[in-house]
């Protein structure tokens, strides 16, 4: 059997599934003719090297027949249908015109398996993070359901917190498969906003205003499960929808304007402050349940105990309404970041307000489920974003729960990731202004803000940043729940 020497000169590389598509254009010697005939299937080819050369027939099998014109024939066993390397020698002896090498390098099985494993790895990343988050929140809610009656000192229905969570999560998940394509068909797409040199992983045509379908579901489930009898849930639901309306106006103006700008910052802050003040005055006059026998109290851990703020309580309420909406909006910069952090904050607040108003716990659990259901459509490589409609509504709902119960400190703790995002913006602006004033040239602390974009420019992958935020928020939520329970 003749050996086939591999010639480095005249060696060519081709790509599967049609590796010999461009063979006719190869620069061969004038005395050599190369004819390519494609067989019936895309991966079966026949090419003839006319001179003293040989013919090779390549098929689906892993054995290729090579027949020389001088009647010497031999077989090549590649061992891998996807990988083969051949070198064709024209003839042997003094009259030989040299060797012509053809290296056919197609995609190997190992390479395909590597791509398959990488695809599975990305798939695991997309779903593994959310499954871990779901497992944590489910176990925490089930744990609280197991002895919630001891905290309230009243008999409670089974799965008091877990049931509204899963009801909202399932309904929002199903609704997303209807509303997301609808938003896409209506061309309700998120404007492209470039933040310096930060690349964005989202598609340029991603639909926005996702808050239109997950916020109302969370509100309706909470109202239905409290049987329309809780004034606290009604007030929290109303202010949540009003904040969603403000965000809707902002998103609509962003879509309609040429420069993709919505409401100005001053007008937006004014509207949020007005809504917060109205809720504070309503709270002062409404007959809400309180285990302390009086309102406007802020429970704190011992030795501080209960602190009566009086009229300052109204200012604190308005401040939280303005702050929380913008904190959540600043966090909504990476796929799944704001939704997961908000879900954990709602779970913490649902546990915290349980000794004070059990109906508000249902509201918090329901909104947490709505955020998680939306997260399944907003995870890495998101198909929809919540927009201002969702972020402002989430902030308003969290602030309403804190205002109705006085649990401002636990909300502050559970919102640690959002506070870090906002603090990075404040530090950046303050440091830049100070250095520009005193040194004539502004300097920056971070590469860009908010802080999650600084981490991206530092080389961290987006799923890693989101996972870190989830872990930190989980720890902060546990701390907030503990502080709230020992304060109540």
């Amino acid at each position: 059997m003749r050996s086939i020497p591999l010639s480095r000169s005249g060696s060519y590389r081709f790509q599967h599934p049609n590796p010999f598509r461009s063979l006719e254009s190869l620069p061969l010697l004038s005395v050599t003719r190369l004819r390519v005939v494609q067989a019936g299937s895309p991966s079966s080819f026949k090419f003839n090297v006319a001179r003293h050369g040989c013919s090779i027939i390549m098929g689906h099998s892993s054995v290729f027949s090579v027949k020389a014109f001088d009647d010497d024939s031999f077989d090549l066993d590649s061992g891998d249908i996807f990988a083969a390397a051949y070198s064709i020698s024209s003839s042997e002896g003094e009259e030989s015109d040299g060797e012509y090498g053809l290296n056919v390098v197609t995609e190997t099985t190992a390479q395909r398996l590597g791509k398959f494993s990488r695809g599975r790895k990305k798939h695991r990343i997309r779903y593994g993070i959310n499954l871990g988050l779901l497992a944590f929140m489910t176990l925490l809610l089930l744990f609280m359901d197991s002895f919630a009656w001891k905290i309230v000192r009243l008999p409670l229905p089974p799965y008091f917190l877990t049931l509204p969570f899963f009801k909202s999560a399932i309904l929002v998940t199903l609704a997303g498969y209807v509303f997301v394509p609808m938003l896409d068909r209506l061309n309700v797409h998120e404007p492209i906003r470039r933040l310096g040199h930060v690349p964005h992983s989202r598609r340029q045509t991603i639909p926005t205003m996702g808050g239109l379908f997950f916020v109302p579901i969370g509100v309706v489930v909470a109202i239905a499960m409290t049987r329309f009898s809780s004034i606290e849930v009604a007030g929290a639901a109303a202010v949540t929808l009003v904040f969603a309306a403000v965000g809707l106006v902002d998103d609509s103006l962003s879509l309609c304007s040429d420069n993709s700008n919505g409401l100005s910052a001053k007008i937006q802050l004014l509207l949020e402050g007005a809504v917060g003040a109205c809720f504070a005055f309503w709270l002062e006059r409404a007959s809400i349940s309180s285990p302390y026998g009086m309102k406007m109290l802020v429970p704190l851990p011992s030795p501080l105990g209960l602190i009566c703020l009086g009229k300052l309580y109204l200012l604190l309420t308005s401040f939280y309404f303005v702050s929380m909406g913008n904190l959540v909006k600043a966090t909504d910069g990476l796929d799944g970041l704001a939704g997961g952090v908000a879900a954990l904050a709602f779970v913490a607040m649902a546990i915290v307000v349980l000794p004070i108003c059990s109906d508000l716990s249902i509201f918090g659990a329901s909104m947490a489920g709505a955020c998680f259901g939306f997260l399944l459509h907003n995870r890495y490589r998101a198909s929809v974003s919540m927009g201002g409609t969702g972020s402002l509504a989430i902030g308003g709902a969290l602030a309403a729960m804190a205002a109705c119960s006085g649990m401002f400190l636990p909300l502050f703790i559970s919102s640690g990731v959002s506070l870090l995002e906002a603090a990075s913006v404040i530090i950046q602006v303050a440091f830049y202004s100070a250095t520009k004033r005193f040194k004539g040239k502004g300097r920056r602390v971070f590469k860009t803000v908010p802080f999650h974009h600084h981490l991206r420019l530092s080389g961290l992958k987006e799923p890693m940043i989101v996972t870190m935020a989830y872990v930190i928020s989980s720890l902060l939520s546990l701390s907030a729940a503990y502080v709230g329970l020992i304060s109540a």
Side-chain angles (χ1 to χ4, degrees), residues 217-240:
I217 290 178
V219 168
V220 170
V221 169
I223 294 177
M225 293 199 67
T226 55
R227 300 179 180 179
F228 305 91
S229 60
S230 175
I231 187 173
E232 295 87 358
V233 173
V239 75
T240 300

Side-chain angles (χ1 to χ4, degrees), residues 325-334 337 391 418 421-422 425 450 452:
N326 292 281
L327 287 179
V328 179
K329 192 173 183 179
T331 311
D332 186 26
L334 297 180
L337 180 59
S391 59
S418 299
E421 300 280 3
V425 178
H452 56 259

